Amino acid sequence: MIWFLKRMPLLIVLGLTVLVMSNCTMLGMNYASLETGNKPQPQPSLDVPAITGNAAKRDALKQAFEDTLYGPWPTAMPVAFSAWRVVEPDYLDGRGTLEEAEVTVGSGEGARLFHLVVAFPKADRPAPVVVGQTFSSNCSVFPGEPVTATDMTACTGSEMDGAMGTLATQIFGRYIAVAPVARYFDAGLAYASFYASELVPDRNGDAQAVMANLGGATNPTSALMAWAYGFTAALDVLEADPRIDKSRMAVMGHSRHGKSALIAGVWDRRVAAVIAHQSGFAGAALSRSETGEGLVRMAESYPHWLSPNVQSYLADLSSLPVDQHELLALLAPTPVLLGNGRRDVWSDPNSTYRAAEAASAVYKAEAATGLTGDGMQSFDPAADLAYWLRSGGHSIVPKDIDAFTAFLAAHLGGAGAIESPVQMAN
Ligand code: GCU
């Protein structure tokens, strides 16, 4: 006892040091390593010819992701949608219109309704489109516009108004909620957006209940799969509109919604490009990685994001039959942008790069470019697997929008491409 009391100050200092050090990673105060050659190769190793040339093997790999991580893709889940309601006929000083459709997913009493808001540029030909899926309600994505709130009334304010919103914007970046639609118009794109939680709530317990009740032949069992299906429903709406070029529809999401954007790109091959910004675990980061959040912690904190089956692999991640480089490989040859922040160690930029490096072999076998450049700091928006690393943390900042629009312009052929690849400083 006396021994303990005497050493109490030292023990307190030690305890605080451990606490601060572990939180540094979470708070974005560490840097992601830029060295990849000294880390393990992604496992299982990729069977490149099989994934490239053999539809049955590709399907088997998709099935393995469904069986372990994501649960079933809700094949043939009904999607219905309303006519457009024009929210703003002279949007952005007449550069386009802002319109909204009600989209229903599922059937019977458990069917879910979400609002898809689209900014159509005035154009003399069908426009490419990027569909964003968001954490924030449509009120915050289009502040000041009378789009429909989740309680079905017209929005009157944004979640980003007030002190808490200002703080959130300081931490998570200027574009964490509000969409810079003028930037997408500048790049020649239409911009569509929906609030993922309006489809399936981002709450453990509620999410599973909503999914089980959707009334499809196959209901999703993970929120990530359900949100990915939200992209599919949005594409159904968009491709029915002659103002949209249905061969040039991209999907985009940040963090948990970057995970679902990657999934959508694999299970819905209409997706012409994917932006997965800071998607992390169960996204583009390797499940076997020993840095960052880790799949185990993610599955414990957000059990509704993944299939319940994942639980049986968490005690030994090496038993997982798949890893995320294979998810990226299944996307080939679809162009993918993986956005990263050097201080966003939580999302694991290093293993994300190694996953992309491994998947590159499949891109190349599919006559696409895969990663170009040499290392985590070279960004080539025209590459089919484009890796973007900037300074800073888990956020959406103006530089990210530069990267997104450069990538979209390069792959979907809008105007406004950044002329040369950007080199990031350390
Ligand atoms: C949490 C979670 C991540 C996720 C992130 C986000 O931090 O641990 O896995 O990507 O939320 O969605 O912002």
Side-chain angles (χ1 to χ4, degrees):
M1 184 64 173
I2 291 180
W3 180 93
F4 187 76
L5 286 176
K6 271 183 156 170
R7 284 164 182 78
M8 188 74 135
L10 181 67
L11 291 173
I12 291 176
V13 171
L14 274 177
L16 284 175
T17 309
V18 170
L19 191 73
V20 168
M21 281 175 65
S22 62
N23 275 316
C24 276
T25 302
M26 297 180 203
L27 297 175
M29 294 168 81
N30 284 343
Y31 288 105
S33 161
L34 298 176
E35 287 183 73
T36 51
N38 59 355
K39 313 269 184 322
Q41 290 291 313
Q43 295 297 327
S45 59
L46 275 173
D47 185 351
V48 177
I51 296 179
T52 309
N54 184 324
K57 290 236 166 127
R58 273 182 81 93
D59 286 348
L61 185 53
K62 281 165 66 184
Q63 188 64 49
F65 274 100
E66 294 189 22
D67 293 344
T68 53
L69 282 179
Y70 303 131
W73 174 251
T75 305
M77 175 72 71
V79 174
F81 48 93
S82 69
W84 296 109
R85 175 177 81 83
V86 178
V87 177
E88 176 54 78
D90 288 312
Y91 186 54
L92 293 180
D93 299 324
R95 292 184 69 188
T97 57
L98 191 68
E99 307 187 22
E100 179 183 79
E102 290 183 347
V103 186
T104 307
V105 174
S107 64
E109 288 194 348
R112 298 283 293 185
L113 185 151
F114 71 86
H115 294 87
L116 180 71
V117 180
V118 184
F120 290 99
K122 287 204 174 117
D124 56 7
R125 71 195 71 166
V129 64
V130 58
V131 188
Q133 175 180 108
T134 63
F135 296 85
S136 326
S137 74
N138 292 344
C139 303
S140 310
V141 176
F142 302 96
E145 300 294 342
V147 295
T148 307
T150 46
D151 64 3
M152 302 302 262
T153 61
C155 296
T156 50
S158 157
E159 286 146 3
M160 295 295 138
D161 296 338
M164 288 312 285
T166 306
L167 184 65
T169 308
Q170 286 301 320
I171 297 172
F172 296 112
R174 190 188 306 169
Y175 296 120
I176 193 62
V178 62
V181 179
R183 297 291 317 276
Y184 295 109
F185 277 8
D186 291 345
L189 296 149
Y191 181 78
S193 184
F194 68 100
Y195 175 38
S197 288
E198 215 182 354
L199 171 58
V200 167
D202 192 1
R203 271 189 310 277
N204 189 33
D206 291 350
Q208 293 91 333
V210 163
M211 291 188 288
N213 210 19
L214 274 174
T218 307
N219 290 335
T221 57
S222 74
L224 292 182
M225 204 53 142
W227 293 334
Y229 198 78
F231 279 117
T232 280
L235 297 190
D236 287 352
V237 181
L238 291 163
E239 75 172 8
D241 192 299
R243 292 170 293 180
I244 297 296
D245 179 344
K246 62 181 181 181
S247 67
R248 294 187 293 163
M249 302 190 293
V251 300
M252 168 165 84
H254 178 222
S255 210
R256 65 200 71 181
H257 302 301
K259 308 180 207 287
S260 54
L262 291 167
I263 297 170
V266 171
W267 272 267
D268 188 335
R269 299 303 277 169
R270 290 174 300 177
V271 170
V274 178
I275 297 176
H277 185 51
Q278 305 183 320
S279 64
F281 288 82
L286 293 169
S287 301
R288 287 162 174 77
S289 170
E290 286 176 5
T291 45
E293 176 183 21
L295 187 71
V296 174
R297 187 158 25 185
M298 201 199 88
E300 278 164 4
S301 312
Y302 306 95
H304 58 296
W305 287 0
L306 294 171
S307 155
N309 291 356
V310 78
Q311 297 299 331
S312 50
Y313 300 96
L314 298 181
D316 174 14
L317 289 175
S318 69
S319 67
L320 263 179
V322 291
D323 210 332
Q324 302 307 105
H325 58 304
E326 295 174 295
L327 188 75
L328 298 183
L330 283 169
L331 280 158
T334 305
V336 176
L337 171 62
L338 302 171
N340 295 271
R342 184 82 196 277
R343 285 183 188 268
D344 181 24
V345 179
W346 187 248
S347 304
D348 207 12
N350 188 291
S351 84
T352 298
Y353 187 83
R354 285 181 286 127
E357 250 181 339
S360 277
V362 175
Y363 272 76
K364 287 182 184 138
E366 301 252 4
T369 49
L371 280 180
T372 61
D374 54 355
M376 291 168 62
Q377 287 176 294
S378 47
F379 173 49
D380 174 5
D384 293 316
L385 258 180
Y387 181 92
W388 157 247
L389 178 71
R390 55 150 169 79
S391 52
H394 196 69
S395 52
I396 310 180
V397 298
K399 271 190 210 165
D400 295 321
I401 307 298
D402 295 344
F404 300 170
T405 51
F407 168 80
L408 291 168
H411 294 281
L412 300 187
I418 288 175
E419 265 128 43
S420 59
V422 180
Q423 282 288 336
M424 293 288 300
N426 270 340

